[in-house]
Amino acid sequence: MAEQPVHVAVTGAAGQIGYQLLFRLASGQALGPDQPLVLRLLEVEAALKALDGVVMELQDCAFPLLRDVVTTSDPRQAFDGAGWALMVGAMPRKEGMERRDLLSANAGIFSEQGKALNAVAGRDVRVLVVGNPCNTNCLIARGNAPDIPAERWFAMTRLDENRGKSLLASRARVDVSEISNLGIWGNHSATQFPDARNARIGGRPVPEAIDDEEWLLGEFVTTVQQRGAAVIKARGASSAASAANAAIDSVRSIVDRTPDGDWTSLAVVSHGEYEIPEGLQFGFPVRSDGRGWEVVEGISLDEKARQKIKVTTEELEGERAEVQHLLPV
């Protein structure tokens, strides 16, 4: 067993996603069965009492890997020495709110948390932003943490990938493990593009296994794009367990080697791949060797795909323009 614990900071730790996430982290599902960890949990003052109850439950589970739990409302204390930061906490979208209202409400939070990470996090920290709008929240935090390399910042598009895989498996009447190479392009929003045409089912191109182009470019895409809203309508609250599960999957996709021939979905900093403007936190198909990651090059995109990617790119450029005042010149 590794001797030194990894310090894992989680923001919004007493919220619905945080509650679903913490026990899986403590059990070793994210960083592995031999890696001890310290959880550093951040919450607003009003939620600290609830967080105390969560800590009691963590203690009552007697997780062998969990060496300590720190709770605080101070971002600097939460991020102190962190090797991983899972930024879950964000103001949730409420009925009647536009996306730009959500962006405005969360921009200041992620600006300050980025500064705190820059000041006190571990030298090798890696950051996964889950709180929405996660791409641009990640951009804001990254922009305010100039000493943390851009390649260590990720925003979560894995939930969209998982949703798409489930839909494809159901349509093809196969087990979900048969689905591979499903990339999510762009923003984690209703403009994202889940690329079924380059995905595979049992090693075969999806269009061969599902001979229905109208469905693949129509209902499949819109169902993935609108799934979050559908969950809210059905349960009266946003996705929690599935979002926590996707966060675990995202961490594992970074620390583990991607299976040969496959790729996964993460929003990472653009360096101009596929003509995406540099600096955007953009959803790409990504591969990892367990030490570093790369955007998968050479994926064929037809004109319909390019048009859909253009739409999500323009949305992200618009969001960046709205928060430009929070980004260093």
Side-chain angles (χ1 to χ4, degrees):
M1 181 175 287
E3 293 185 1
Q4 293 298 320
V6 174
H7 287 240
V8 181
V10 180
T11 73
Q16 290 197 68
I17 297 174
Y19 184 77
Q20 298 287 340
L21 179 61
L22 295 179
F23 299 89
R24 297 184 64 179
L25 287 169
S27 70
Q29 292 183 43
L31 298 180
D34 298 321
Q35 178 59 63
L37 70 162
V38 172
L39 289 175
R40 311 187 68 87
L41 309 182
L42 180 68
E43 260 298 356
V44 296
E45 286 279 353
L48 287 178
K49 183 176 181 180
L51 187 57
D52 287 342
V54 177
V55 173
M56 291 179 196
E57 288 198 74
L58 284 166
Q59 294 168 340
D60 292 348
C61 289
F63 290 117
L65 295 172
L66 184 58
R67 298 297 173 82
D68 196 11
V69 182
V70 177
T71 63
T72 182
S73 61
D74 180 357
R76 289 199 171 212
Q77 184 178 1
F79 296 141
D80 189 22
W84 271 95
L86 307 184
M87 301 178 77
V88 177
M91 180 179 289
R93 186 170 181 173
K94 301 175 183 177
E95 188 174 355
M97 285 181 70
E98 299 293 334
R99 185 175 177 84
R100 66 184 306 167
D101 297 329
L102 189 65
L103 180 62
S104 176
N106 284 305
I109 296 171
F110 282 84
S111 174
E112 291 305 310
Q113 290 183 358
K115 293 173 184 176
L117 279 162
N118 195 65
V120 300
R123 294 179 60 188
D124 60 347
V125 67
R126 286 180 280 189
V127 185
L128 174 68
V129 177
V130 177
N132 283 319
C134 62
N135 295 61
T136 300
N137 284 342
C138 187
L139 172 74
I140 294 167
R142 170 166 62 83
N144 284 276
D147 298 329
I148 301 174
E151 284 71 25
R152 295 189 193 156
W153 295 83
F154 310 90
M156 193 174 81
T157 54
R158 182 58 181 262
L159 179 54
D160 309 303
E161 177 188 338
N162 289 347
R163 288 165 168 166
K165 283 182 172 180
S166 180
L167 277 172
L168 291 174
S170 177
R171 185 77 173 192
R173 298 183 180 179
V174 300
D175 188 85
V176 73
S177 63
E178 295 289 305
I179 313 300
S180 66
N181 300 87
L182 178 59
I184 305 295
W185 297 81
N187 204 2
H188 174 63
S189 75
T191 69
Q192 65 176 273
F193 175 49
D195 182 14
R197 291 176 64 90
N198 282 298
R200 293 183 173 270
I201 298 178
R204 298 170 59 201
V206 164
E208 291 183 11
I210 302 175
D211 185 15
D212 190 342
E213 183 174 9
E214 182 179 354
W215 183 82
L216 291 173
L217 288 176
E219 184 179 341
F220 169 75
V221 172
T222 57
T223 299
V224 175
Q225 290 174 336
Q226 299 292 337
R227 186 66 164 189
V231 171
I232 292 173
K233 184 176 181 180
R235 71 183 293 263
S238 58
S239 303
S242 57
N245 179 71
I248 296 290
D249 287 344
S250 296
V251 173
R252 292 235 56 88
S253 73
I254 297 164
V255 302
D256 289 345
R257 182 183 181 89
T258 307
D260 290 345
D262 200 359
W263 55 68
T264 190
S265 299
L266 284 165
V268 297
V269 62
S270 169
H271 293 297
E273 300 92 342
Y274 296 93
E275 302 181 359
I276 301 303
E278 291 193 23
L280 289 182
Q281 199 76 25
F282 196 88
F284 287 109
V286 169
R287 286 196 187 106
S288 172
D289 63 4
R291 298 182 299 275
W293 58 265
E294 62 179 6
V295 172
V296 180
E297 297 279 14
I299 296 175
S300 177
L301 298 168
D302 61 18
E303 185 58 30
K304 291 179 180 178
R306 291 184 181 278
Q307 284 300 314
K308 290 182 182 296
I309 291 172
K310 180 182 178 182
V311 170
T312 196
T313 301
E314 290 174 347
E315 181 180 58
L316 280 170
E317 287 185 295
E319 290 184 7
R320 178 166 64 177
E322 287 190 41
V323 301
Q324 194 65 47
H325 63 288
L326 293 171
L327 302 175
V329 178

